[in-house]
Amino acid sequence: EAHIVESGGGLVQTGGSLRLSCAVSGFTLDEYSIAWFRQAPGKKREGVGCISSSSGVYYSDSVKGRFTLSSDNAKNTVFLQMNNLKPEDTAVYYCAADKTRIIRDCAKIDRPLGSTWFVNWGQGTQVTVSS
């Protein structure tokens, strides 16, 4: 059974940093693509970034240059380092995973309904950036 748990959210001031963790069980990262999505009240769910076992890392334009994805395969954990946070980054952040052979291209997280390609989801963690 696949299980995903996000952690690391919290309250931070503009310009601050947070590191989110996505701990997975029931599968190994070497066969999976792991994506981060976020959703703020009144807004559609949007892609943040994606790290693939085959093709590396992809970032959505809104976070490019500020957020960094990394993985520790031995611990089955993906990290999202968020720097220079802005109020518009405030959202619930979700980690999602699916087999790389299904996802194929991490860039699909920015396509309409791209999140629907991922069937394994965590519960979300709240990130709040104050001005």
Side-chain angles (χ1 to χ4, degrees):
E1 179 182 353
H3 186 62
I4 298 174
V5 178
E6 305 100 329
S7 62
L11 174 65
V12 65
Q13 292 184 334
T14 297
S17 298
L18 287 171
R19 188 180 76 160
L20 306 184
S21 297
C22 175
V24 306
S25 61
F27 57 90
T28 55
L29 296 180
D30 62 355
E31 296 182 339
Y32 275 73
S33 296
I34 309 296
W36 286 94
F37 296 87
R38 65 187 183 186
Q39 188 164 24
K43 295 184 178 180
K44 295 180 178 179
R45 182 170 294 177
E46 65 176 358
V48 175
C50 175
I51 184 166
S52 169
S53 59
S54 65
S55 62
V57 182
Y58 172 87
Y59 299 100
S60 298
D61 286 344
S62 61
V63 307
K64 195 175 299 181
R66 299 186 297 120
F67 291 10
T68 303
L69 282 162
S70 61
S71 64
D72 185 339
N73 286 8
K75 297 182 178 180
N76 264 27
T77 301
V78 168
F79 303 98
L80 179 65
Q81 179 67 46
M82 306 186 295
N83 297 326
N84 192 25
L85 284 161
K86 305 175 180 179
E88 52 262 44
D89 295 318
T90 295
V92 177
Y93 283 70
Y94 297 92
C95 184
D98 214 330
K99 293 180 179 179
T100 296
R101 67 177 179 85
I102 301 298
I103 301 301
R104 304 298 293 169
D105 182 6
C106 269
K108 65 164 38 71
I109 69 170
D110 286 332
R111 299 171 187 167
L113 302 179
S115 64
T116 65
W117 285 90
F118 295 82
V119 300
N120 303 292
W121 289 80
Q123 81 290 345
T125 185
Q126 176 72 48
V127 171
T128 302
V129 184
S130 65
S131 60

